[in-house]
C-alpha cells in the first residue's frame, strides 16, 4: 500500500499496553514512556533497513553506531492505564549525513493519535567515532521508501531546525538556574563504549539530586476553586550538541522563558562543568491541565505572577 504522491504508507513498528507503573502524578502516562516507544520503533526501522551494525555503503568497512542529535515530540492526547498503543512510522527524508524519521503513537481502539515524533539519525564508525556518509546507492533506496509528513505531525511552535538558545555555564550558575546538583555520569547509564544512549537522555536533565528537595515527578498545584492543576508537556525538542560520556561532571539548569494564557515554555540545559561546554539543550511547551476535568485551563493569575518572577524572557 502506498500513500499519495507515490510515497509509502506508515507501517506498524511497535505494539504495547500502558502499564500502571507508567502513570505519573498527573494521572496519565508519563512523557518519557512516549519517547521510549518511539525510540524502540526507530531501532526496529533501522534494523529492518539494514542500517545497524554494518556499513551504509561505500568504502567504509567498520560496524556502525547511530546517534540522534535532534528529537522532537508533539503530544496530542493523554493516555491512561490499560490503553493499547501502536507506533506507526517511516522515513521522511535522506541526505548524505543521515535520515529523518517520523512516528505516530496511535490508540487504535479510540482511533486517535496520542503523539507524533520527528527524529534525526546520524551514523558513525564504532571504533573511530568518525562520521559516515550514506552511499548514493543506499540513499536512493531509502529515498524511495519515504513517507509523507502529515500536517498533524508538524511542529506548532518550535522550529525543528533552528539552533538551540544557549547561555554560558557562568550565567546559569550566577542566575541560580540550577535545578539538579552536580554529578558524574555513571557507566551504568551508558552503552559499552561509554556513551549516553538516547533512551537515557531524560536522565541527563532529571538524574541526580534536586537542588530543593520535593516530591518526585511532575508538580501538582492547588487551584483557587479547590481543584488541582498540572503542567503537561505539549511539545518538546531535544538537541544534543556534544556526546555525553561516562565520568563527565555535569549539572542541569532550567528557566521559564515565555508565558502565555494557557501555556509556558521552559528551556533546559546540561553542561560539562569541567569544560563549560553545553552538552544538551531542551525546550518544552507546557499546557496548564485541570486534573479533575482533564482539560486545558488558563494559568491562574497568582501562579502566573509566581512563574513570571523567576522567568528569563531574554532566553526566549
Amino acid at each position: 500500500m502506498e500513500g499519495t504522491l507515490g510515497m509509502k504508507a506508515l507501517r506498524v513498528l511497535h505494539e504495547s499496553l500502558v502499564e500502571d507503573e507508567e502513570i505519573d502524578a498527573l494521572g496519565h502516562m508519563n512523557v518519557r514512556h512516549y519517547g521510549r516507544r518511539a525510540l524502540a520503533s526507530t531501532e526496529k526501522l533501522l534494523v529492518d533497513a539494514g542500517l545497524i551494525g554494518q556499513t551504509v555503503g561505500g568504502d567504509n568497512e567498520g560496524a556502525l553506531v547511530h546517534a540522534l542529535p535532534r528529537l522532537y515530540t508533539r503530544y496530542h492526547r493523554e493516555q491512561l492505564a490499560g490503553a493499547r498503543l501502536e507506533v506507526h512510522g517511516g522515513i521522511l527524508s535522506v541526505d548524505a549525513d543521515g535520515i529523518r524519521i517520523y512516528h505516530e503513537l496511535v490508540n487504535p481502539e479510540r482511533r486517535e493519535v496520542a503523539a507524533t515524533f520527528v527524529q534525526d539519525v546520524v551514523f558513525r564508525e564504532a571504533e573511530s567515532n568518525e562520521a559516515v556518509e550514506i552511499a548514493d546507492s543506499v540513499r536512493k533506496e531509502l529515498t524511495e521508501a519515504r513517507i509523507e509528513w502529515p500536517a498533524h505531525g508538524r511542529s506548532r511552535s518550535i522550529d525543528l531546525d533552528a539552533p538551540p538558545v544557549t547561555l554560558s555555564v557562568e550565567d546559569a550558575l550566577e542566575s541560580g538556574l540550577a535545578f539538579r546538583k552536580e554529578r558524574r555520569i555513571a557507566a551504568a547509564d551508558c552503552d559499552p563504549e561509554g556513551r549516553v544512549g538516547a533512551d537515557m537522555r531524560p536522565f541527563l536533565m532529571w538524574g541526580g539530586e534536586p537542588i530543593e528537595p520535593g516530591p518526585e515527578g511532575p508538580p501538582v498545584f492547588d487551584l483557587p476553586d479547590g481543584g488541582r492543576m498540572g503542567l503537561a508537556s505539549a511539545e518538546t525538542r531535544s538537541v544534543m550538541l556534544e556526546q555525553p560520556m561516562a565520568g563527565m561532571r555535569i549539572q542541569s539548569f532550567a528557566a521559564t522563558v515565555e508565558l502565555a494564557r494557557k501555556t509556558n515554555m521552559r528551556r533546559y540545559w546540561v553542561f560539562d562543568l569541567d569544560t563549560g561546554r553545553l552538552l544538551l539543550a531542551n525546550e518544552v511547551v507546557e499546557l496548564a491541565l485541570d486534573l479533575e476535568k482533564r482539560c486545558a485551563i488558563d494559568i491562574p493569575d497568582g501562579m502566573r505572577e509566581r512563574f513570571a518572577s523567576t522567568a528569563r524572557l531574554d532566553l526566549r
Side-chain angles (χ1 to χ4, degrees):
M1 179 180 177
E2 295 196 353
T4 60
L5 304 177
M7 291 185 174
K8 303 295 182 183
L10 278 69
R11 62 191 184 90
V12 177
L13 296 165
H14 191 272
E15 297 179 88
S16 63
L17 291 175
V18 179
E19 305 292 342
D20 290 340
E21 56 268 25
E22 295 179 313
I23 304 300
D24 63 20
L26 303 187
H28 56 209
M29 184 171 73
N30 187 267
V31 292
R32 72 178 183 273
H33 300 299
Y34 285 73
R36 182 171 57 81
R37 287 165 168 82
L39 290 170
S41 300
T42 293
E43 294 279 338
K44 166 70 171 168
L45 189 151
L46 294 176
V47 167
D48 291 351
L51 294 173
I52 289 185
Q54 55 184 297
T55 68
V56 287
D59 298 328
N60 186 283
E61 297 296 333
L64 290 181
V65 295
H66 67 282
L68 293 92
R70 291 182 296 276
L71 305 174
Y72 169 77
T73 306
R74 178 175 167 184
Y75 301 93
H76 294 256
R77 296 285 187 277
E78 62 179 352
Q79 299 300 308
L80 308 180
R84 186 164 70 88
L85 299 175
E86 298 174 349
V87 180
H88 303 178
I91 295 172
L92 281 177
S93 60
V94 185
D95 59 32
D97 298 327
I99 63 177
R100 173 165 280 187
I101 289 172
Y102 173 78
H103 297 307
E104 294 184 351
L105 183 65
V106 177
N107 184 322
E109 294 172 353
R110 294 170 60 175
R111 298 189 176 185
E112 66 184 16
V113 175
T116 52
F117 311 84
V118 178
Q119 301 182 347
D120 292 329
V121 183
V122 296
F123 300 95
R124 296 187 180 277
E125 202 278 324
E127 291 188 5
S128 69
N129 203 35
E130 293 291 326
V132 175
E133 288 192 355
I134 300 176
D136 290 342
S137 59
V138 178
R139 188 161 68 233
K140 181 177 184 296
E141 182 179 343
L142 295 174
T143 298
E144 291 173 350
R146 286 180 304 149
I147 61 168
E148 278 194 279
W149 192 352
H152 64 260
R154 296 177 182 266
S155 169
R156 294 188 66 184
S157 53
I158 297 175
D159 185 343
L160 272 59
D161 296 308
V165 174
T166 63
L167 75 170
S168 69
V169 68
E170 291 81 10
D171 184 5
L173 287 165
E174 292 171 5
S175 301
L177 301 183
F179 76 100
R180 284 292 189 271
K181 297 179 181 179
E182 68 173 72
R183 64 189 179 94
R184 291 199 179 272
I185 298 176
D189 294 337
C190 301
D191 64 19
E193 286 74 38
R195 304 180 182 93
V196 175
D199 60 326
M200 296 302 295
R201 211 154 167 157
F203 297 97
L204 285 172
M205 292 184 298
W206 296 99
E209 295 182 49
I211 295 292
E212 298 181 3
E216 290 294 323
V220 174
F221 305 92
D222 293 326
L223 294 171
D225 64 1
R228 300 179 307 141
M229 185 195 90
L231 293 172
S233 296
E235 290 181 271
T236 65
R237 185 181 72 141
S238 172
V239 180
M240 189 82 79
L241 291 98
E242 185 176 322
Q243 182 67 60
M245 304 291 290
M248 280 184 173
R249 188 168 65 96
I250 64 170
Q251 191 164 12
S252 306
F253 302 83
T256 297
V257 300
E258 184 178 85
L259 284 166
R261 188 164 62 91
K262 295 184 178 183
T263 63
N264 70 49
M265 176 183 278
R266 286 179 62 79
R267 296 196 187 281
Y268 296 84
W269 302 271
V270 179
F271 286 94
D272 178 342
L273 293 180
D274 291 325
T275 65
R277 292 198 298 266
L278 182 63
L279 302 176
L280 180 72
N282 268 40
E283 52 204 311
V284 182
V285 176
E286 298 176 321
L287 179 72
L289 177 68
D290 186 308
L291 299 183
E292 273 72 44
K293 298 176 182 177
R294 311 308 297 182
C295 64
I297 58 172
D298 289 356
I299 300 173
D301 290 340
M303 197 173 300
R304 181 186 306 280
E305 292 168 3
R306 194 187 341 156
F307 293 160
S309 68
T310 58
R312 282 288 303 267
L313 304 183
D314 59 306
L315 294 171
R316 173 64 182 88

